[in-house]
Amino acid sequence: MKIIAINAGSSSLKFQLLKMPQEEVIASGLVEKIGSEDAGFTIKYNGSKDSKVLNIPNHGVAVKLLLDGLIEHEIIKTIDEIEGVGHRVVQGGEVFNESAELNNVTIAAIESLASLAPLHNKAHVIGMREFKKVLPNVLQLAVFDTTFHQTMEEEAYLYATPYEWYEKYGVRKYGFHGTSHQYVSEEAIKLLDNKKDSKIIVCHIGNGVSITAIRDGKSIDTSMGLTPLEGVPMGTRTGNIDPSVLGLIAEREGKSLEELLDILNKQSGYLGVSGISNDSRDIAKAAHEGNHRAKLAMQLQAKRIADYIGSYYIRLKGLDAIAFTAGIGENSGEVRNLIVDHLEVLNVKLDQKLNTTRGIVGNIASKDSSVKVFVIPTDEEVMIAREVYSRL
């Protein structure tokens, strides 16, 4: 059985075609710069890679290009071989506490939540409608980043703002990267020999960063909030900040709220502190060359991540494992070191040989560490495909 996992962005369309239940990736690819004459389409299959630059005016053309590419490269003979489609959706609000089959009602509900994720939900809906046109009789599911965090209790997800804001506008913490946190925590539990009442902290560290406390496979708290801006400093996002800063800068520089939020989302974090880049590799290189601000950007993030780990240790009443995932979490031994250096009081220790081994997967804690430290590559597409397969 073939299932395709889709992640539609405002100008991009990522996909993976998987054979289920084997969870074998048959093909993957990316359509990028949708809406431009020099858009790109890359497809990977059977050890091969094909890329082309062409005019892709909209998502409808991108979807057709994707499906035609699968047939052109003889990955499938006809689109009828695709028996399920899973769409990644960033924001499900409180409307969706589980994955939802796509129809006019659910798509409209997803679109209505766009104010909580304006850069994402609108693009997801465009992708959904195009796939529904082409594959109208195939099961299509929306799989939400927020669903995994719906197990949080009120004390974890509510803000201490006027309660009416929550009742009227849904102002609360939703959390994100849910499919990643779910996949990685399930893999961590396996590494813990399926321990009951497991206590795990997953650190999803890429250009976006979120930390989640997971007890017995369920999210009890997470660092991102109403939007992905809350939490720790990221590639271009500030993470937590005193809201009064906005008033100060608005007054001194005459900037609007929209302009300030754009700065907090797109010009802060690694980029804002270092003044160099949002890419961790550029930051690390500059830090090694003696750039103080680059070093500071890394230290700020590591300190804040350690803060969350410490508070979640208390929330979990102990800790079996910390799991690092996503681009930086999986690949940067230096970042892992910076974080773990703050955790001496929890007796978390790394095996330095394992920590500095590229491509390492599994436990990298030293033998005398009280907490296991896992490196687990995330696979959000597999989680999406599993969800679709479970409904077929």
Side-chain angles (χ1 to χ4, degrees), residues 358-378:
R358 291 286 294 178
I360 190 75
V361 176
N363 187 22
I364 59 169
S366 62
K367 292 181 180 179
D368 59 340
S369 176
S370 298
V371 177
K372 289 183 169 59
V373 181
F374 298 140
V375 175
I376 301 175
T378 191

Side-chain angles (χ1 to χ4, degrees), residues 6-9 19 28 36 47 52 81 83-84 122 134 138 182 189 222 236 243 247 254 278 282 321 328 342 355 358:
I6 299 296
N7 184 355
K19 183 178 180 181
S28 64
S36 67
K52 58 182 75 171
E81 290 184 39
E83 297 182 60
K122 289 179 182 178
V134 180
V138 171
Q182 183 177 1
I189 289 169
T222 193
T236 62
N278 68 303
D282 297 336
I328 298 171
H342 290 284
N355 185 48
R358 291 286 294 178

